[in-house]
Amino acid sequence: MSELYENRELSWLRFNERVLEESEDGRTPLCERLSFVSIYQTNLDEFFMVRVGSLHDQMLLEDNPKENKTHMTAEKQLEAIRARVEELGRRKDTSYNNLMAEVEKQGIKIINFAKLDTKEGDYLRGYFEREILPLISPITVSKKQPFPFIKNNEICAVAVLGTKSGKQRIGIVPCNNGMFNRLIQIPGREGWYMLAEELILHFLPIVFQGYAIVSKSLIRVTRNADIDADKVYDEELNYRDHMAEVIKQRRKLQPVRMEYTRDLDKKILRRVAQYLKIDKDMVFKSKAPLDLSFVFTIQDILRHKKELFFAKRIPQKSPSFDETKPLIPQIMEKDKFLSYPYESIRPFLNMLHEAANDPEVVSIKMTLYRLAKHSKVVESLVEAAENGKQVDVLVELKARFDEENNIEWSRQLENAGCHVIYGLDGLKVHSKLCLITLKKGDDVTYVTQIGTGNYNEKTSRLYTDLCLMTADQRIGLEAAKIFQKLSLGEVMESTDYLLVAPKCLQNKVVDKIDREIQIARDGGDAYIGVKINSLTDKKIIDKLIEASASGVKIDMVIRGICCLHPGVPGKTDNIRIISIVGRYLEHSRIYIFGKGEREEMYIGSADWMTRNTVRRVEVAAPILDPDLKDRLRDFFFLQMADNVKARELHADGNYTYVPHKAPLVNAQERFFEMAYEAVGGAYEAENVLVPTGKKEEK
């Protein structure tokens, strides 16, 4: 059965390879390709911090657990990861070098000392001694001075120091303390820059006077960030203070990777790895800079050259709303739908602001996972509380890497008089659910919003997400029950309309797949359509395999991890899976079961991953309005028709570009074109040349 499954971690690396392909794609504008090579790097950083960190933790367990699809032990997975990361690292280096050669043609150049004359070298020495040397903290490792703590993803210059006695020491200088610019301009050479860490590395003889520099390199350490907040819960602290302590602990967790840029003596390299307690197999050489975030500064410098960037796209007004009139009555009249980033998030924000001031609104309840730094959502909730309305907000403090942001928002909400809940024991609350309760006389009515993405104004312009706003009282009553359960620290045990994890989503999805299986076995036209970010839930995967073998036609758009191999004869040959990686991050989740009168459609917050289906609180809502169903169906099948940015997954686990046959369909561009057309706006078409990726199919 192993031919049917893919290891989760290796599948994720295939996804990041598709991100890297975007940096190699010659028809993508140059400055956008720079973004993709940087995103590839930051994606990989997080992968090591979370997934590789988790595998290291698993290796410490006595029972040596195996993952449930390919039955690889943690050790075997780490071996496979190392080999794949080395292979992709070489591609990343090549892509970076090719991109910087193109950037140089635009008048920007990142240089080293070999490119400078004596006068320029003297200037940089003076600059270093004046502007940088007073701000750095060099350390030499000795019996009296232990190896220093190196922060997560911090770049350090490391030198092997020769002494007069013939012994060698290690010298270390942290390079990115935030007190000086990363890019240093070369005087008299417009557009020429040097990275600050390269300047520090070059002038190590000044830093470590009295020593001979035997060899030197830049290094960067990535630390495990996989800490279980519930397992280390201290009941003596309130939960918010506890999460602040968790963040502090994460910064000190064990290193899981080291990168370096220049050849060091192998003994010294091993010695540094031993000091850091890093497995020697998790030490990687990089020919590209260890942190590529400076490319965004290059983009800013080149911003005046419009041809180097994607054509400007602005989220459009939704034709479903008349924004000159109150929005809540419009939702009462007919279900509404927003599609980000093609349509603006503004109607939802305006609805929330309207609710905060509507005398008939008595309460607002929301689940918050990730928020913008300057959140209009929080502003409206604060306004509602100050206007005397009951405001109940569940703020998920365990939203990874957003904990500090959420802690601060929770304080502001509490100070304004909101009732704040901090999630459930052992479960993250990942749902995107908002319930507005109105009372007129003795009549109580609900307006419910269910989304696929966070309440974040910034990411609504970058991620593709869907937002349903409905006054269907059946949905409103179930949403009210969800909030009642959350306030008691409980979960929904049963539902009639919504799919609600952890107890009422996976089982209901399986039941709906079973229904299609029976229809196929009875000779009917059975169908399943799914758009999600990741597929890892083995119970659902095995049910999809059974469905395919029974004759159910299955279409899937899966951006990231996919642990199922389609196209295996007799088993998964009725399943087609594509991944779209393009200008916008595909983030919406759609489930379709059946055709015609049997057709059921849902949107929601849950991927089909075990962590979502049984370990989180997630909510998916049915699309009941016929017009919205037609729109969602068209949305899904347009994505399945993409032959510009779509890659198809094959039975061997490899992805290739969908064959580029006329008419060319770039789904993301087409959605924006449709949004502009709907309001009569001027739309500037993007270039849609054939991709140049290495895995292209002609």
Side-chain angles (χ1 to χ4, degrees):
M1 293 288 287
S2 61
E3 64 178 341
L4 298 175
Y5 304 108
E6 176 81 3
N7 174 265
R8 169 189 170 142
E9 318 306 345
L10 299 182
S11 179
W12 185 91
L13 288 172
R14 289 185 190 275
F15 157 66
N16 211 28
E17 180 181 18
R18 297 194 290 281
V19 174
L20 186 59
E21 283 179 350
E22 291 298 302
S23 77
E24 300 167 335
D25 190 342
R27 58 184 183 145
T28 299
L30 175 60
C31 283
E32 307 295 351
R33 292 166 64 195
L34 287 174
S35 293
F36 281 111
V37 76
S38 181
I39 292 168
Y40 166 84
Q41 185 187 63
T42 53
N43 281 352
L44 194 61
D45 290 346
E46 187 170 329
F47 175 75
F48 270 90
M49 290 162 65
V50 179
R51 299 306 306 171
V52 173
S54 176
L55 290 171
H56 275 282
D57 292 344
Q58 289 178 37
M59 287 178 64
L60 301 176
L61 300 176
E62 291 182 6
D63 58 351
N64 195 24
K66 297 179 180 180
E67 61 96 13
N68 66 353
K69 301 173 193 71
T70 57
H71 306 295
M72 296 173 71
T73 63
E75 185 176 9
K76 288 294 184 185
Q77 291 178 74
L78 287 170
E79 288 176 6
I81 287 168
R82 178 195 57 76
R84 226 19 212 121
V85 168
E86 282 191 341
E87 176 189 346
L88 292 173
R90 290 190 289 271
R91 274 182 68 180
K92 179 261 297 178
D93 290 343
T94 299
S95 178
Y96 170 79
N97 288 330
N98 290 341
L99 288 170
M100 295 313 293
E102 292 297 314
V103 167
E104 188 173 343
K105 296 176 184 177
Q106 303 299 325
I108 304 295
K109 188 171 184 177
I110 306 298
I111 55 92
N112 56 35
F113 272 85
K115 303 288 185 181
L116 300 178
D117 59 30
T118 303
K119 184 178 178 181
E120 290 162 339
D122 290 343
Y123 167 82
L124 286 175
R125 178 181 178 124
Y127 179 91
F128 173 78
E129 292 177 336
R130 185 175 62 254
E131 304 288 341
I132 294 181
L133 186 58
L135 301 176
I136 58 177
S137 302
I139 297 168
T140 57
V141 180
S142 64
K143 290 181 180 179
K144 293 183 179 180
Q145 178 62 54
F147 198 88
F149 177 82
I150 298 177
K151 296 176 184 176
N152 184 43
N153 290 331
E154 179 178 44
I155 297 174
C156 291
V158 174
V160 179
L161 306 175
T163 66
K164 292 179 180 178
S165 65
K167 294 183 178 180
Q168 292 184 342
R169 288 185 177 180
I170 294 175
I172 300 173
V173 183
C175 294
N176 50 344
N177 58 18
M179 290 189 282
F180 42 79
N181 292 332
R182 178 96 187 277
L183 283 180
I184 298 167
Q185 188 161 8
I186 309 302
R189 301 265 198 171
E190 186 177 355
W192 281 35
Y193 298 88
M194 180 176 289
L195 293 171
E197 63 263 30
E198 291 290 344
L199 191 67
I200 294 170
L201 188 70
H202 182 80
F203 286 117
L204 285 183
I206 296 176
V207 178
F208 297 109
Q209 293 185 24
Y211 293 95
I213 306 297
V214 178
S215 61
K216 59 185 179 180
S217 179
L218 297 169
I219 67 168
R220 188 172 75 129
V221 170
T222 305
R223 292 182 175 274
N224 183 358
D226 186 48
I227 186 168
D228 189 327
D230 291 309
K231 285 185 179 179
V232 296
Y233 181 46
D234 183 349
E235 293 184 355
E236 297 300 316
L237 297 172
N238 72 43
Y239 197 69
R240 188 164 58 202
D241 291 341
H242 162 68
M243 286 307 302
E245 286 299 314
V246 167
I247 296 163
K248 290 179 183 177
Q249 287 186 41
R250 177 187 291 157
R251 292 168 181 154
K252 300 176 183 178
L253 290 181
Q254 180 66 33
V256 292
R257 175 182 63 162
M258 185 176 81
E259 301 165 280
Y260 67 103
T261 59
R262 286 167 174 75
D263 289 327
L264 282 171
D265 181 276
K266 289 184 179 180
K267 291 182 180 179
I268 296 296
L269 204 57
R270 283 197 298 270
R271 188 173 158 194
V272 172
Q274 286 170 357
Y275 275 127
L276 293 166
K277 298 180 181 179
I278 294 176
D279 188 316
K280 61 179 173 50
D281 290 333
M282 289 298 164
V283 178
F284 301 91
K285 185 175 181 180
S286 175
K287 293 182 179 179
L290 299 178
D291 178 353
L292 296 176
S293 60
F294 67 89
V295 303
F296 298 108
T297 303
I298 292 175
Q299 287 180 336
D300 290 340
I301 295 169
L302 295 173
R303 191 69 60 183
H304 62 288
K305 298 189 176 184
K306 293 184 178 180
E307 70 277 10
L308 302 182
F309 297 86
F310 286 129
K312 189 174 182 179
R313 297 283 180 262
I314 299 174
Q316 297 296 294
K317 290 182 179 181
S318 169
S320 301
F321 287 96
D322 181 348
E323 294 188 39
T324 65
K325 299 177 181 178
L327 301 180
I328 291 176
Q330 296 179 56
I331 299 168
M332 291 284 193
E333 185 178 327
K334 183 178 174 60
D335 288 357
K336 303 295 183 183
F337 203 63
L338 295 174
S339 175
Y340 312 141
Y342 316 109
E343 294 175 324
S344 172
I345 193 176
R346 191 169 60 195
F348 169 73
L349 297 175
N350 289 346
M351 178 198 71
L352 208 56
H353 174 70
E354 185 179 304
N357 293 278
D358 188 332
E360 293 185 1
V361 170
V362 294
S363 72
I364 302 174
K365 303 176 190 292
M366 286 189 79
T367 58
L368 302 180
Y369 194 75
R370 300 189 196 277
L371 293 162
K373 287 190 176 180
H374 306 287
S375 175
K376 293 188 179 298
V377 170
V378 172
E379 285 180 11
S380 289
L381 294 175
V382 166
E383 185 179 20
E386 291 175 345
N387 286 339
K389 302 184 188 305
Q390 176 68 33
V391 179
D392 297 336
V393 187
L394 190 147
V395 181
E396 182 50 81
L397 298 188
K398 292 176 288 187
R400 198 188 303 271
F401 305 127
D402 268 327
E403 297 97 338
E404 288 180 279
N405 195 32
N406 287 0
I407 287 170
E408 182 55 36
W409 284 127
S410 71
R411 288 195 181 102
Q412 291 191 32
L413 289 163
E414 275 191 347
N415 290 339
C418 301
H419 176 221
V420 179
I421 308 169
Y422 298 117
L424 307 181
D425 289 343
L427 295 171
K428 282 186 180 180
V429 178
H430 187 251
S431 57
K432 323 302 178 189
L433 183 64
C434 175
L435 179 68
I436 297 169
T437 304
L438 301 94
K439 190 167 189 258
K440 188 173 184 179
D442 293 330
D443 294 331
V444 175
T445 55
Y446 299 105
V447 170
T448 312
Q449 182 273 338
I450 302 99
T452 67
N454 295 299
Y455 300 114
N456 186 316
E457 301 93 292
K458 181 179 178 181
T459 57
S460 73
R461 301 173 70 94
L462 303 171
Y463 297 1
T464 74
D465 272 308
L466 301 169
C467 167
L468 170 69
M469 289 173 276
T470 178
D472 189 302
Q473 297 307 291
R474 297 168 297 178
I475 291 176
L477 284 167
E478 280 203 342
K481 290 179 183 178
I482 292 171
F483 281 108
Q484 288 170 9
K485 291 287 188 180
L486 290 175
S487 68
L488 297 172
E490 300 173 358
V491 298
M492 295 287 283
E493 298 288 341
S494 64
T495 60
D496 293 321
Y497 299 98
L498 301 174
L499 309 182
V500 185
K503 294 189 176 181
C504 311
L505 193 147
Q506 184 197 63
N507 56 340
K508 288 179 176 287
V509 166
V510 168
D511 288 346
K512 293 176 189 302
I513 298 173
D514 273 331
R515 185 192 69 178
E516 295 307 305
I517 290 172
Q518 190 57 52
I519 287 167
R521 288 173 178 169
D522 292 341
D525 189 9
Y527 180 77
I528 297 169
V530 181
K531 181 183 183 299
I532 49 180
N533 299 330
S534 297
L535 173 65
T536 68
D537 186 318
K538 191 171 186 296
K539 186 171 183 178
I540 292 178
I541 289 172
D542 287 345
K543 189 56 66 173
L544 290 170
I545 293 169
E546 181 185 347
S548 173
S550 301
V552 181
K553 174 73 184 303
I554 303 170
D555 289 327
M556 306 186 82
V557 183
I558 305 176
R559 182 196 78 218
I561 302 167
C562 181
C563 294
L564 169 64
H565 287 171
V568 177
K571 296 175 180 176
T572 59
D573 43 358
N574 281 311
I575 301 177
R576 180 173 183 247
I577 299 175
I578 65 169
S579 170
I580 295 175
V581 178
R583 176 173 181 173
Y584 304 101
L585 181 78
E586 289 294 336
H587 196 252
S588 54
R589 289 92 165 185
I590 301 168
Y591 321 146
I592 302 172
F593 304 98
K595 288 184 175 181
E597 293 182 357
R598 295 188 301 102
E599 182 182 58
E600 295 180 353
M601 291 185 178
Y602 294 82
I603 67 162
S605 56
D607 291 311
W608 287 0
M609 306 177 75
T610 308
R611 73 176 190 187
N612 298 89
T613 56
V614 297
R615 295 180 194 150
R616 290 184 175 181
V617 176
E618 306 272 12
V619 177
I623 304 300
L624 302 174
D625 183 278
D627 294 335
L628 296 190
K629 289 181 78 170
D630 289 344
R631 184 178 172 192
L632 191 62
R633 189 185 309 108
D634 291 344
F635 182 97
F636 178 78
F637 285 109
L638 182 56
Q639 290 223 310
M640 287 302 303
D642 191 301
N643 59 7
V644 174
K645 287 298 181 182
R647 286 87 159 170
E648 186 161 2
L649 176 59
H650 300 285
D652 60 1
N654 287 314
Y655 288 81
T656 62
Y657 278 105
V658 172
H660 314 294
K661 298 177 181 177
L664 293 176
V665 178
N666 181 331
Q668 293 184 351
E669 279 300 305
R670 178 61 187 138
F671 290 138
F672 245 124
E673 185 179 5
M674 291 162 64
Y676 273 75
E677 289 173 350
V679 295
Y683 172 83
E684 178 186 352
E686 282 278 10
N687 184 7
V688 287
L689 298 175
V690 172
T692 57
K694 293 185 177 181
K695 293 189 176 180
E696 175 185 338
E697 271 194 347
K698 297 292 186 183

